[in-house]
Amino acid sequence: MDRRAATSVIFAGFFFLGMVFILWGILLPDLAKSLAMSEVISGAFFTLISVGMILGAILGGKYAQKFDFMSLFAILLVCVMGLLIAISFVQHWIWLLIGALVLGIFSSSLFTIGHTVIARLHADRRSAMMGFMDFMFSLGTLAAPFFVSALYLIEHDWRWPLRILALGLLALAVYTWRVAHQGKKLITSEEATQNRKSLAYGDIIRRPVFIFLALAAFGYGMVEFGNANWFVSYAQNGLGFDGEQSRLVFAFFTAGMVVSRLVFALLLRWLSSHRLMLILATIMVVGSFMVKLTVDPVVMSWGNFMLGLGLGGIFPLMLSAAMDVDSDKGPVISGLCVIGSSIGVQVASFGTGLWAHFAPLTTAFWMIPIGGAWLWVMIWGYSRFIKRHIANQNN
């Protein structure tokens, strides 16, 4: 199997994962109405996805390396496809919550495999290629609002976007299986014998640089998915925007993510990774406060764009810098990031829903700028460790 084919599979997979993850926030108002979900139940839905992500990251980080990555990637894509089909037929929210937990487990394992494969295939251009991989994820999040709006012109039913997306996942799974079983292996048999062993998290979490990585990933999850899961509901139910306008304003956030992940690798020619991380974090936190402190849709759109622009390059920069510190621990480093961000998603998603149960959603949405401030502080601390590591390498 050649490097180009494997890379194309991972990139396409991340595009679909971006659509899958952002879809729930877009569909939430219709889901809640159709299945009689309260704000607390809606928050629990996103929390269970995060719990599943944590479980999947733990299992994927420890054991994914024992299997052929691409074959496992194909199998997991089929599992996600089947799950989307099943969810599209649910009639009660309890089944939706169960599906959310399982979806998180499958998706997290896909993330771990993708991060590890790209980091190993492109060690010479790790930051750039991981940035392009996350760019494909953001491209999926950008496409999702337009995908839903287009289908709603034909049939205003939240079930059909899930079913159509499942067909795309099935096609990719078939292609992935073919790539996995044709040509030469991704690694040699000798390397396979050495690498196919389970890894431990203990060696990673004892090191301060990785503790700051996990804390930054926590803030990242709070901001990205807190905004993704709740912004459309906040704009519609809190500020009185209509559905189309809410989705359009939210598209500026995903557009900012796409632009950031497309161009941040070019900026590394002039800026060090630790300095660029801090610049992006500053843009992000300004954007998070702009979104909350205005009711003007134009200003809110630009705030969303700044939020996405700052946020988009942070995750691939954090992860690639961590893998530069210890490349042999790629799966567990990726798993640690997923665990941290998933806990952040839990706090933002369920916390916002619980807060909105006792106060207006316009008040509960303060969770996003609070998460932005936390992320800025953690990025500042993490960037200091990366700066020190780079200095030690050059000496």
Side-chain angles (χ1 to χ4, degrees), residues 83-117:
L83 191 60
L84 291 182
I85 293 293
I87 290 175
S88 75
F89 286 100
V90 301
Q91 299 296 328
H92 194 278
W93 55 261
I94 190 66
W95 296 108
L96 184 68
L97 297 186
I98 294 171
L101 178 67
V102 180
L103 177 66
I105 294 173
F106 292 151
S107 301
S108 181
S109 299
L110 286 167
F111 280 126
T112 299
I113 294 170
H115 289 148
T116 304
V117 169

Side-chain angles (χ1 to χ4, degrees), residues 371-382:
W374 169 276
L375 177 56
W376 189 93
V377 173
M378 293 304 110
I379 286 293
W380 181 86
Y382 178 64

Side-chain angles (χ1 to χ4, degrees), residues 51-382:
V51 171
M53 291 282 289
I54 293 170
L55 294 175
I58 293 171
L59 295 172
K62 283 182 67 66
Y63 301 114
Q65 193 157 280
K66 296 173 69 69
F67 304 95
D68 175 67
F69 283 138
M70 301 309 293
S71 298
L72 185 57
F73 199 81
I75 292 170
L76 290 171
L77 285 173
V78 171
C79 292
V80 174
M81 178 274 298
L83 191 60
L84 291 182
I85 293 293
I87 290 175
S88 75
F89 286 100
V90 301
Q91 299 296 328
H92 194 278
W93 55 261
I94 190 66
W95 296 108
L96 184 68
L97 297 186
I98 294 171
L101 178 67
V102 180
L103 177 66
I105 294 173
F106 292 151
S107 301
S108 181
S109 299
L110 286 167
F111 280 126
T112 299
I113 294 170
H115 289 148
T116 304
V117 169
I118 295 301
R120 290 184 179 178
L121 285 178
H122 302 279
D124 54 332
R125 295 187 298 152
R126 184 172 289 148
S127 294
M129 294 307 292
M130 292 186 76
F132 283 128
M133 177 179 62
D134 285 343
F135 161 73
M136 292 303 296
F137 182 89
S138 295
L139 197 61
T141 66
L142 178 62
F146 301 103
F147 169 70
V148 172
S149 295
L151 288 179
Y152 273 11
L153 292 175
I154 302 170
E155 179 69 31
H156 194 100
D157 185 347
W158 62 267
R159 302 173 191 273
W160 279 107
L162 301 181
R163 294 166 185 167
I164 300 299
L165 188 56
L167 292 177
L169 286 168
L170 178 60
L172 179 60
V174 171
Y175 176 66
T176 304
W177 189 263
R178 181 183 175 188
V179 168
H181 291 83
Q182 70 179 5
K184 62 181 181 179
K185 295 291 184 180
L186 180 63
I187 55 178
T188 66
S189 59
E190 181 181 351
E191 291 172 328
T193 303
Q194 294 173 350
N195 290 333
R196 289 194 178 180
K197 59 183 180 181
S198 59
L199 300 172
Y201 282 89
D203 296 337
I204 290 295
I205 60 177
R206 293 190 189 101
R207 299 165 66 176
V209 61
F210 295 121
I211 293 174
F212 268 93
L213 173 67
L215 293 173
F218 169 83
Y220 179 89
M222 279 189 69
V223 178
E224 180 178 12
F225 290 99
N227 193 59
N229 293 339
W230 282 106
F231 179 79
V232 173
S233 297
Y234 166 70
Q236 283 187 240
N237 303 332
L239 301 181
F241 293 9
D242 61 42
E244 188 68 28
Q245 187 180 34
S246 300
R247 289 190 290 270
L248 180 61
V249 173
F250 175 70
F252 277 80
F253 170 70
T254 51
M257 296 280 287
V258 168
V259 172
S260 181
R261 287 173 173 170
L262 186 60
V263 305
F264 89 90
L266 300 175
L267 298 177
L268 289 173
R269 297 179 180 179
W270 303 283
L271 296 169
S272 59
S273 59
H274 61 87
R275 186 170 288 113
L276 182 56
M277 268 189 274
L278 197 56
I279 291 172
L280 291 175
T282 302
I283 296 172
M284 172 277 304
V285 76
V286 171
S288 69
F289 279 93
M290 283 179 65
V291 170
K292 182 64 192 75
L293 294 175
T294 185
V295 295
D296 184 279
V298 175
V299 178
M300 189 176 291
S301 296
W302 285 110
N304 259 308
F305 183 78
M306 287 185 65
L307 179 59
L309 185 66
L311 202 62
I314 288 177
F315 190 85
L317 271 173
M318 287 194 312
L319 187 53
S320 61
M323 289 189 175
D324 287 339
V325 173
D326 194 343
S327 60
D328 291 337
K329 299 293 194 304
V332 290
I333 290 173
S334 172
L336 185 67
C337 281
V338 172
I339 291 169
S341 64
S342 297
I343 296 174
V345 173
Q346 281 193 48
V347 171
S349 299
F350 186 71
T352 302
L354 184 62
W355 196 350
H357 187 69
F358 298 101
L361 183 54
T362 50
T363 301
F365 199 72
W366 271 107
M367 190 71 73
I368 307 307
I370 291 172
W374 169 276
L375 177 56
W376 189 93
V377 173
M378 293 304 110
I379 286 293
W380 181 86
Y382 178 64

